[in-house]
Amino acid sequence: MRFYSINRRVVAGLALTGFMLAAAGCQSSDNGILNFGFSKKDPTAPPPPQDPKVLASQLRAYCPKVTLRDGTAFFNTYAKGTAAKTKKRKVDAAADAEAQAAAQTGPNGQPVDPNRDPAKIIYQASITDVTRDCIHENGQLTMKIAVAGKVVPGPLFTPGTVTMPIRIAVQHGPDVLYSQLHQYQVQVTDPSAATQFVFTDTNVVVPEPTARDYQAYAGYDENAPAATDKSKAKRKKRVAAAATN
């Protein structure tokens, strides 16, 4: 009888412990570890945070960064090649071709462009720094982009004026919002020192950005088409017209 009463106490204690654990489990919140689809979302819970957006105050303070494209930081001015006038004479064709090839080959054995021979540089210009300033008003962004650099005399230096093709551009992805080529001139007179210069484009006007994703560029643009001489163009048209008549 004593053994039986002890067992009844043990069984009652175990039953009470199990009931307390079950009640605690029912009152505990769902932590996501065991979710069998019976839990419901709390309608009073705040919505999840959305992706951050650029504030209007941030856009008003936004000024696109100015960078230099690869290969646009230097500009060289070369002396025009002059061919010596010699009397006509019969020469061996093979020897003439060999001499011409040697004249167009540099010390490293690589071919040299006669129009870009390092020994014929008059001036070498370079851009050393760029900066910008921005104003937001009337639905537009007005930028002032400045380019600082120097002009160094070359082997064939002669005092004079250097005309440098400087392009300023602003892009929004693949779209070009502004692009202007400036023929900027610098007077160089001292053969023993570099001449400093600062060029500023104050007329860069583009639409007000809706995000911080504009890109501004500055640099030399030697690939820009040269201005056409109108008088020469007219003469060519007259000659072509006369030939067809």
Side-chain angles (χ1 to χ4, degrees):
M1 293 297 292
R2 185 178 180 182
F3 177 76
Y4 176 76
S5 62
I6 293 175
N7 286 343
R8 289 181 62 182
R9 293 195 190 99
V10 172
V11 172
L14 292 175
L16 179 59
T17 303
F19 175 79
M20 293 175 64
L21 291 174
C26 292
Q27 295 175 359
S28 64
S29 60
D30 180 17
N31 57 10
I33 299 176
L34 296 177
N35 187 354
F36 298 101
F38 299 108
S39 60
K40 295 182 180 181
K41 295 183 178 179
D42 186 358
T44 62
Q50 299 179 353
D51 295 335
K53 295 182 179 180
V54 180
L55 302 177
S57 58
Q58 294 175 319
L59 287 176
R60 285 193 294 270
Y62 170 56
C63 196
K65 182 181 179 182
V66 181
T67 58
L68 291 170
R69 293 185 187 272
D70 291 340
T72 65
F74 297 93
F75 173 72
N76 295 332
T77 303
Y78 297 87
K80 295 181 179 180
T82 56
K85 295 182 179 180
T86 57
K87 294 181 178 180
K88 293 183 179 180
R89 58 188 180 88
K90 295 182 180 180
V91 295
D92 181 70
D96 185 44
E98 184 178 353
Q100 187 175 3
Q104 297 179 353
T105 303
N108 57 358
Q110 298 296 323
V112 174
D113 184 350
N115 296 321
R116 294 180 177 274
D117 188 348
K120 296 181 180 180
I121 293 179
I122 303 176
Y123 315 105
Q124 183 177 67
S126 62
I127 295 175
T128 57
D129 196 13
V130 292
T131 187
R132 83 285 192 211
D133 188 23
C134 296
I135 298 177
H136 297 259
E137 62 180 359
N138 300 327
Q140 292 181 325
L141 170 63
T142 302
M143 298 184 66
K144 181 168 64 176
I145 297 178
V147 174
K150 60 184 178 181
V151 180
V152 179
L156 298 183
F157 168 78
T158 55
T161 300
V162 183
T163 302
M164 298 178 291
I166 300 177
R167 183 175 293 281
I168 304 297
V170 179
Q171 286 189 220
H172 179 215
D175 299 327
V176 179
L177 305 179
Y178 176 89
S179 180
Q180 184 65 44
L181 182 67
H182 305 271
Q183 299 295 341
Y184 183 64
Q185 294 185 336
V186 177
Q187 190 72 21
V188 182
T189 58
D190 189 351
S192 61
T195 300
Q196 308 290 331
F197 71 88
V198 176
F199 164 75
T200 305
D201 187 347
T202 60
N203 299 316
V204 183
V205 181
V206 295
E208 180 74 32
T210 57
R212 301 166 66 93
D213 54 0
Y214 280 9
Q215 180 62 62
Y217 296 99
Y220 295 117
D221 186 358
E222 299 184 65
N223 298 321
T228 304
D229 188 337
K230 294 183 179 180
S231 61
K232 290 183 179 180
K234 290 181 179 179
R235 285 198 298 270
K236 288 182 179 179
K237 288 183 179 179
R238 288 198 296 267
V239 172
T244 55
N245 293 335

